[in-house]
Amino acid sequence: MQNSLQILEKLEALSIENCDTEEFKTLLTLLKLSLIEQQSKFEIFSNTIREGFAQCEIVYDSKGKPNDYKVLRINEAFPFHTGMEKEMIVGKRILEVYPEMDKKWLDFYGEVVLAKKPNSMTGFDHNTKRHYVTTAYSNGQDQFVMLFRDITEEKDLEIAQIEIKKQKEEKNYLLNNMLEGFKHCEILLDEDNLPYDFKILEVNKAYETQTGLKREEIIGKTMLQIFPDIEKSWIETLCNVATTGKSKNFIDFNHNTGKYYDISAFSPTYGEFALFVRDCTERENERLKLEKAYKKAEESDNLKSAFLANMSHDIRTPMNAILGCSELLGNENLDKEEHKKCLQHIKSSGNRLLSLISDIVDISKIDSQQQKLIFDVHNLNHLMYDIRDQFTLANSDKKIILTLEVALEDNNSCIKTDDKRLNQILSNLLENAFKFTEEGEITFGYSIKDGFLEFFVKDTGIGIKPENQSIIFKRFGQINNSAAKNDSGSGLGMSIVKGLIALFEGEIWLYSELNQGSEFFFKIPYIPYKNEDKKRPKDIKILVAEDEEINFYLLNIWLKDLGTVLHAKNGQEALDLFYANPDIEIIVMDIRMPILNGLEVTKEIRKSNTTIPIIAHTAYAMNDEAQSIKEAGCTDILIKPAKQKDLICVLEKHSKALNLRNLISNTSN
């Protein structure tokens, strides 16, 4: 089929005196068909034209020959030309509607579908008693589109010329008022008759807006002239549409505009194709975002499944030791040495379980943004010395030299920080270093750079493969490494490290080479604090409400250096001692006690004293319990089982009100 511009040029070349009326009508019809093929929405365009329009499907007989056709849809002009309303014909075979339909019409449309070539015909329909000029083309397998006009009353060529101009104006109006971009192109063939590029014949205003390309700048030019670096596959796809006649729908990203486009391509005639282009950048970006989120969630689910499997193993292993050794301790024939080993195993396994639980709690707090930092003044060097001594003692049986490097003098190393969380970060990094280092050296310490404290932990261990380094800080991520001496752990340690460093508004990075070792670095803001003379304050009086003797025993040992410790074995004794000793300055309150529980006691105390710090000492601190404890009036919560440093940390948190800073610092060191 000739394109619209070529047909229009021939029409303009014809004159009323010497033109062939049938040729003119055929050209006119072909032009209209070409225009129709350039529209994306049937209803908008087809209902604009005056000609009858119908999309139909060929019906074959048992021998595979066309003998009927089914009407799929029509335009608003169809009833005007035929007298048949939509409900009378759409969805029906033409022989159902007109049983005596002329065979010439059936043969004509059947030939169009079989040959897949457009054709025109003028004839008389004895069913409607009207003359029609019709043009048909096949728009898909077994389907054809007819465009026809009642020419019974049309005898004047001048009317046809008016119609041509009008249709041309309507075509331009429709194209330039479409929301979709439109582009009509002609493919170019090389010397081997193979398509290699295409020339742009027409675009509409929406296309100009979408791409930023002006019509006058691109009409008549080839795609490679406009975009020399365009992907070859894109040209091949569109040229294939023009040569095969098969429509193609796809989404394309244009690197020149930085946008995604939803493209519908079809061929109005052999060697040409047209595009309807829609900007779908926002939708596609959202889809990619959802796809990424889905993959991340899927990966997270897989990691969590692996984590739960590992967790089951890591919980059952120490529990097995605890239960087994506990049973052995009930054996009266167990000798002293075995008794001692059982206690050591129970203690070690208990600490391992506590570590697992702490990791889960910490990562949950970080993920839910419930983890907060508590800044106070601490001696950084003393903190580093404590960590060094702790790991030296714990790993005394290993062939590893642990070295500490500090940048400040001891008397000038006081900073404002959360020492508990800083200790946790460094401890996790050192535990990781010892885990993957069989022998050699581990060095840790800090330096000061550009207003930041830059900490480091370096080892001479097995190192990390480049492809595994991105896994280190992921949730539930562990690297399976048979060279590791100890493969236990929740897989949360390094993720906790990264989360805590983020709370410090810092960052972490690493360098590692397989079999050469690893170097972890992190930096946090440096907040120096000028040392002041330390003077021991007067002794204070502390009330401990605790019904378990062993728990009080530990608390008393940890607190006795602070002053006088009063012991209440139940809630009523706690109230009596409080009222009898108005100089009590802090209370450590067990929650579950005989007579009156800790919450009841706290509520009574708050009726007369709203300022004294009351530290709840409990094993029950889930969301609901914690909320009840806070509502009762407790100042803070200390979770069982607690260590001395946990208690000291809570006291430090409230030491300003008690003037205990110096005393607590001395005790904790």
Side-chain angles (χ1 to χ4, degrees):
M1 184 188 296
Q2 296 169 300
N3 65 46
S4 305
L5 294 177
Q6 292 172 335
I7 297 171
L8 185 60
E9 289 173 358
K10 288 187 177 182
L11 286 174
E12 291 174 345
L14 295 174
S15 65
I16 296 177
E17 291 77 17
N18 59 13
C19 72
D20 185 311
T21 303
E22 290 303 317
E23 179 185 4
F24 182 85
K25 292 176 180 178
T26 300
L27 291 173
L28 173 61
T29 303
L30 288 174
L31 173 60
K32 290 178 179 179
L33 283 174
S34 178
L35 294 177
I36 290 174
E37 275 296 295
Q38 296 171 23
Q39 312 309 309
S40 64
K41 296 181 179 179
F42 169 82
E43 295 296 334
I44 294 177
F45 187 87
S46 64
N47 289 327
T48 303
I49 61 176
R50 295 182 177 181
E51 286 79 5
F53 185 95
Q55 183 178 355
C56 307
E57 183 179 22
I58 281 292
V59 177
Y60 299 91
D61 61 18
S62 60
K63 296 181 180 180
K65 294 183 179 182
N67 69 341
D68 199 352
Y69 63 86
K70 182 179 181 181
V71 180
L72 303 178
R73 56 180 180 176
I74 63 175
N75 70 344
E76 293 179 0
F78 188 97
F80 174 79
H81 291 279
T82 65
M84 298 292 294
E85 296 297 331
K86 181 178 180 181
E87 57 271 15
M88 298 171 64
I89 192 166
V90 171
K92 298 180 180 179
R93 295 188 189 184
I94 196 66
L95 290 179
E96 290 182 68
V97 181
Y98 295 132
E100 298 180 0
M101 182 74 176
D102 286 346
K103 190 174 183 298
K104 65 179 180 181
W105 294 105
L106 297 175
D107 292 341
F108 169 74
Y109 294 127
E111 184 180 351
V112 167
V113 171
L114 293 176
K116 289 187 169 47
K117 291 184 179 180
N119 203 355
S120 296
M121 176 179 174
T122 301
F124 177 77
D125 188 338
H126 71 272
N127 292 288
T128 61
K129 311 300 181 185
R130 308 292 291 178
H131 288 275
Y132 297 99
V133 57
T134 181
T135 299
Y137 72 98
S138 176
N139 66 336
Q141 188 172 4
D142 296 334
Q143 291 189 9
F144 66 93
V145 170
M146 67 169 72
L147 181 68
F148 62 94
R149 183 163 53 91
D150 184 349
I151 59 171
T152 305
E153 306 300 332
E154 293 182 12
K155 300 297 181 181
D156 194 347
L157 184 59
E158 184 177 355
I159 296 176
Q161 292 176 322
I162 295 174
E163 286 295 315
I164 292 171
K165 292 181 180 179
K166 184 175 181 181
Q167 293 300 323
K168 178 181 177 182
E169 291 172 355
E170 289 178 351
K171 171 254 185 181
N172 291 332
Y173 175 81
L174 286 172
L175 284 180
N176 290 322
N177 285 276
M178 290 170 56
L179 296 177
E180 296 88 354
F182 174 82
K183 180 167 69 174
H184 183 197
C185 302
E186 178 185 30
I187 66 172
L188 301 177
L189 305 176
D190 60 18
E191 56 187 13
D192 296 323
N193 207 34
L194 297 175
Y196 69 94
D197 197 359
F198 52 82
K199 182 171 65 175
I200 299 175
L201 304 177
E202 186 62 77
V203 297
N204 67 350
K205 290 182 179 178
Y207 183 85
E208 292 181 279
T209 302
Q210 289 174 347
T211 63
L213 300 171
K214 296 300 181 182
R215 181 180 183 279
E216 57 270 18
E217 297 174 352
I218 61 175
I219 293 297
K221 292 186 178 179
T222 72
M223 202 61 181
L224 288 175
Q225 287 176 324
I226 301 170
F227 298 124
D229 57 345
I230 192 171
E231 294 181 6
K232 185 179 180 181
S233 60
W234 203 74
I235 293 180
E236 290 176 349
T237 297
L238 294 176
C239 288
N240 187 60
V241 171
T243 55
T244 64
K246 294 181 179 180
S247 299
K248 182 80 172 178
N249 295 322
F250 59 97
I251 293 176
D252 176 62
F253 179 76
N254 190 314
H255 295 278
N256 297 279
T257 63
K259 294 182 178 181
Y260 287 95
Y261 297 100
D262 189 348
I263 297 173
S264 298
F266 66 95
S267 176
T269 187
Y270 180 83
E272 297 180 7
F273 66 86
L275 304 178
F276 289 108
V277 183
R278 303 166 189 85
D279 186 341
C280 63
T281 303
E282 184 176 349
R283 184 191 71 193
E284 189 66 11
N285 284 337
E286 190 65 27
R287 184 191 68 79
L288 293 173
K289 188 187 299 182
L290 290 173
E291 183 178 307
K292 184 177 180 181
Y294 174 78
K295 289 181 179 178
K296 186 176 181 181
E298 188 176 38
E299 180 183 359
S300 179
D301 284 342
N302 292 335
L303 289 172
K304 286 179 181 178
S305 297
F307 162 74
L308 291 174
N310 291 335
M311 186 62 65
S312 175
H313 171 269
D314 290 340
I315 289 177
R316 289 175 182 273
T317 300
M319 281 301 299
N320 182 64
I322 292 172
L323 295 175
C325 290
S326 298
E327 186 176 353
L328 285 175
L329 290 176
N331 187 350
E332 296 179 355
N333 298 323
L334 193 67
D335 60 40
K336 185 176 181 181
E337 187 63 29
E338 292 297 327
H339 188 278
K340 183 178 179 181
K341 286 183 179 180
C342 283
L343 289 176
Q344 289 175 342
H345 285 309
I346 290 173
K347 181 179 179 181
S348 174
S349 298
N351 287 334
R352 184 171 170 183
L353 277 175
L354 185 59
S355 177
L356 285 171
I357 295 171
S358 296
D359 281 351
I360 296 172
V361 171
D362 285 341
I363 202 66
S364 298
K365 286 182 177 180
I366 291 171
D367 284 344
S368 62
Q369 298 182 343
Q370 297 298 312
Q371 183 67 66
K372 307 296 181 184
L373 298 181
I374 303 171
F375 282 80
D376 210 334
V377 178
H378 300 281
N379 189 300
L380 178 58
N381 282 4
H382 290 174
L383 171 65
M384 303 296 283
Y385 297 151
D386 288 345
I387 295 174
R388 178 195 60 191
D389 296 343
Q390 171 190 344
F391 277 88
T392 299
L393 181 62
N395 298 278
S396 59
D397 60 331
K398 298 175 182 177
K399 299 176 182 180
I400 299 173
I401 299 173
L402 180 62
T403 305
L404 170 64
E405 298 177 4
V406 297
L408 297 170
E409 298 292 336
D410 288 357
N411 60 0
N412 194 36
S413 63
C414 285
I415 63 170
K416 285 187 176 182
T417 190
D418 185 325
D419 66 323
K420 182 177 180 180
R421 299 307 168 195
L422 182 56
N423 186 312
Q424 186 177 3
I425 294 169
L426 288 166
S427 295
N428 277 353
L429 291 174
L430 283 168
E431 286 174 3
N432 197 64
F434 274 99
K435 180 178 179 180
F436 294 101
T437 303
E438 189 69 37
E439 61 180 352
E441 183 175 359
I442 295 176
T443 305
F444 77 107
Y446 70 90
S447 60
I448 300 174
K449 295 182 180 180
D450 302 324
F452 285 87
L453 287 169
E454 186 174 295
F455 294 87
F456 58 87
V457 176
K458 305 176 182 179
D459 65 66
T460 57
I462 61 177
I464 307 168
K465 294 180 180 179
E467 61 269 25
N468 288 333
Q469 292 179 15
S470 60
I471 304 175
I472 292 295
F473 300 109
K474 287 187 176 181
R475 296 286 191 268
F476 314 111
Q478 282 186 307
I479 300 172
N480 294 325
N481 198 320
S482 58
K485 295 175 296 179
N486 181 8
D487 198 28
S488 65
S490 64
L492 295 173
M494 299 306 288
S495 182
I496 292 172
V497 164
K498 185 177 181 180
L500 292 176
I501 291 173
L503 290 178
F504 276 100
E505 297 183 355
E507 59 179 298
I508 185 169
W509 65 98
L510 69 93
Y511 302 105
S512 184
E513 187 175 346
L514 196 61
N515 299 321
Q516 297 298 317
S518 302
E519 300 179 5
F520 287 83
F521 296 87
F522 71 92
K523 65 179 183 179
I524 61 175
Y526 173 42
I527 310 175
Y529 183 83
K530 186 177 181 181
N531 283 325
E532 299 176 350
D533 292 337
K534 295 183 178 181
K535 296 181 180 179
R536 182 181 177 89
K538 66 180 180 65
D539 288 346
I540 62 172
K541 189 174 288 186
I542 303 172
L543 171 59
V544 176
E546 175 60 66
D547 62 322
E548 294 288 343
E549 287 294 336
I550 183 60
N551 289 340
F552 173 74
Y553 172 77
L554 291 173
L555 292 172
N556 184 50
I557 290 177
W558 295 342
L559 295 172
K560 64 183 181 179
D561 289 338
L562 299 179
T564 303
V565 179
L566 303 178
H567 182 204
K569 297 182 180 180
N570 58 60
Q572 187 59 55
E573 284 187 17
L575 275 180
D576 294 342
L577 285 172
F578 174 75
Y579 291 134
N581 297 272
D583 55 342
I584 292 175
E585 297 186 45
I586 192 168
I587 301 173
V588 178
M589 181 73 69
D590 186 21
I591 297 302
R592 297 200 174 188
M593 295 186 297
I595 305 178
L596 294 175
N597 63 42
L599 298 183
E600 295 171 324
V601 175
T602 300
K603 291 177 182 178
E604 286 297 320
I605 292 175
R606 288 301 182 212
K607 291 179 181 179
S608 58
N609 190 319
T610 59
T611 59
I612 185 171
I614 302 177
I615 310 302
H617 188 215
T618 180
Y620 303 92
M622 300 304 288
N623 291 338
D624 293 341
E625 290 86 356
Q627 183 65 26
S628 299
I629 291 171
K630 291 288 186 181
E631 290 175 354
C634 291
T635 311
D636 212 330
I637 301 174
L638 183 64
I639 305 298
K640 296 179 182 178
K643 298 181 180 179
Q644 183 179 14
K645 65 178 182 178
D646 299 324
L647 176 61
I648 297 303
C649 180
V650 173
L651 294 178
E652 282 185 323
K653 186 176 179 180
H654 307 287
S655 61
K656 291 182 179 179
L658 298 172
N659 193 26
L660 296 179
R661 181 183 307 282
N662 296 332
L663 179 58
I664 291 172
S665 296
N666 291 335
T667 304
S668 61
N669 288 337

